[in-house]
């Protein structure tokens, strides 16, 4: 008996599933959808390029945070890198689950976060920030297995940057002693956050690879070549020669396959 038959028997509305087709028809349908998916990818890249050209807002106000080691400034959060992504996570008295858990949605975001070493390799730091005291944050991170930096907000930082309640992601750029706000996303926009690529795509410098449409003078390196195992990044190191060979071969095969399909 099919699931639709079961649903009819149980008095429920039958689930209207797509038709079952041959492998050839399935592949034809996939190729048809792939055209739209590639267009979506190109549109996403174009949007990221436009994002890199957004005007910057100077941050002149001084902000203070608490970290595991004591007081921190906004500049300290960069950890001497050029870019900073701050996710305001909803974890404080009054939140559902307090004090054992943060907001369920914010916790799902935290569960998605990729190893931050890949962001660090692109001169970018990711920090979570909440109003909960450090003792509660440290305990929560240990319970949930989260390792990203997580600080306590002690002033109007969250309200000043659009997230007085709930959650949101702000991006900043540091030029010497000057700090600029470069981007902000919240609500459903936060759903895509967690992966290295999505985080880099909302930063002022982007992925910093040569294929990107970025303003003149932006840092860019050959595509794929900076990638590494998360425990093997070394600051200032040249790309591994063997990985360069492998990635070059992969790019060549991809280009040849794409050229063949266009004929």
């Amino acid at each position: 008996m099919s699931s639709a038959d079961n649903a009819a028997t149980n008095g429920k509305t039958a689930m209207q599933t797509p038709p079952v087709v041959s492998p050839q028809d399935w592949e034809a349908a996939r190729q048809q959808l792939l055209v739209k998916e590639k267009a979506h990818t190109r549109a996403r890249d174009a949007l990221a390029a436009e994002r890199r050209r957004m005007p910057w807002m100077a941050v002149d106000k001084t902000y203070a945070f608490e970290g595991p080691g004591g007081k921190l400034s906004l500049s300290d959060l960069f950890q001497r890198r050029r870019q900073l992504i701050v996710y305001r996570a909803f974890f404080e008295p009054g939140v559902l689950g307090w004090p054992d858990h943060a907001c369920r949605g914010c916790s799902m975001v935290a569960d998605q976060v990729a190893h931050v070493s890949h962001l660090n390799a692109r001169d970018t730091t990711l920090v979570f920030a909440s109003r909960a005291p450090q003792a509660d944050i440290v305990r929560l991170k240990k319970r949930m297995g989260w390792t990203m930096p997580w600080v306590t907000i002690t002033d109007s930082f969250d309200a000043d940057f659009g997230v007085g309640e709930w959650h949101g992601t702000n991006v900043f750029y540091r030029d010497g002693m000057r700090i600029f706000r470069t981007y902000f996303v919240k609500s459903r926009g936060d759903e895509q956050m967690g992966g290295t690529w999505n985080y880099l795509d909302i930063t002022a410098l982007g992925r910093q690879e040569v294929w990107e449409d970025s303003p003149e003078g932006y840092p860019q390196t050959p595509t794929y070549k900076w990638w590494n195992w998360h425990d093997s990044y070394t600051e200032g190191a040249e790309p591994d020669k063997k990985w360069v060979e492998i990635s070059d071969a992969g790019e060549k095969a991809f280009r040849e396959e794409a050229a063949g399909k266009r004929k």
Side-chain angles (χ1 to χ4, degrees):
M1 183 179 289
S2 69
S3 59
D5 291 334
N6 278 329
T9 301
N10 295 330
K12 298 179 181 179
T13 301
M15 192 170 92
Q16 300 299 310
T17 59
V20 176
V21 299
S22 68
Q24 294 79 10
D25 288 343
W26 186 91
E27 182 60 27
R30 189 187 77 87
Q31 290 296 331
Q32 186 176 7
L33 186 60
L34 187 59
V35 173
K36 296 180 180 180
E37 289 176 336
K38 288 186 175 182
H40 175 75
T41 298
R42 288 190 289 270
R44 185 184 64 203
D45 290 340
L47 186 60
E50 188 173 347
R51 195 179 289 126
R52 289 190 289 277
R53 290 167 171 81
M54 268 191 62
W56 295 0
M57 184 189 84
V59 179
D60 298 319
K61 189 174 178 178
T62 300
Y63 294 99
F65 306 86
E66 289 283 347
K71 294 186 179 299
L72 296 165
S73 66
L74 180 58
S75 181
D76 291 331
L77 300 190
F78 282 80
Q79 298 178 15
R80 294 190 289 274
R81 300 186 181 94
R82 277 197 286 189
Q83 299 191 124
L84 170 67
I85 302 170
V86 181
Y87 176 72
R88 199 279 200 191
F90 207 37
F91 181 44
E92 60 187 62
V95 172
L96 176 64
W98 173 265
D100 297 323
H101 283 293
C103 156
R104 290 185 180 183
C106 294
S107 297
M108 286 189 69
V109 172
D111 281 337
Q112 312 306 313
V113 174
H115 203 288
V116 297
S117 63
H118 303 296
L119 288 174
N120 297 165
R122 295 278 89 177
D123 213 6
T124 303
T125 299
L126 172 68
V127 174
F128 274 45
S130 299
R131 288 198 164 272
Q134 272 300 296
D136 293 300
I137 290 174
V138 170
R139 174 177 46 76
L140 177 68
K141 288 176 63 179
K142 182 177 180 180
R143 172 176 180 164
M144 302 301 286
W146 297 327
T147 58
M148 74 287 284
W150 200 321
V151 299
T152 299
I153 301 167
T154 66
D155 48 33
S156 62
F157 173 83
D158 47 1
D160 289 352
F161 291 102
V163 279
E165 291 185 345
W166 301 106
H167 57 85
T169 304
N170 275 283
V171 187
F172 302 91
Y173 184 90
R174 182 177 62 84
D175 184 7
M177 297 299 293
R178 301 190 69 192
I179 296 175
F180 305 90
R181 186 192 195 194
T182 62
Y183 191 67
F184 172 61
V185 63
K186 66 175 183 177
S187 302
R188 287 200 64 193
D190 275 331
E191 288 180 358
Q192 65 174 334
M193 294 297 103
T196 300
W197 308 127
N198 285 335
Y199 275 131
L200 290 176
D201 283 346
I202 66 170
T203 64
L205 300 181
R207 304 184 188 191
Q208 301 165 53
E209 295 183 337
V210 293
W211 64 270
E212 286 183 301
D213 175 12
S214 292
E216 185 176 354
Y218 273 42
Q220 289 186 317
T221 60
T223 308
Y224 309 131
K225 305 304 182 288
W226 64 274
W227 296 9
N228 211 336
W229 296 291
H230 74 246
D231 64 349
S232 301
Y233 284 110
T234 302
E235 187 176 356
E238 291 294 321
D240 181 83
K241 292 183 179 179
K242 185 61 177 177
W243 172 239
V244 170
E245 293 175 6
I246 292 172
S247 59
D248 280 347
E251 285 187 82
K252 180 181 178 183
F254 176 80
R255 286 194 296 269
E256 290 175 349
E257 180 184 4
K261 288 181 178 180
R262 286 195 295 269
K263 290 181 180 178

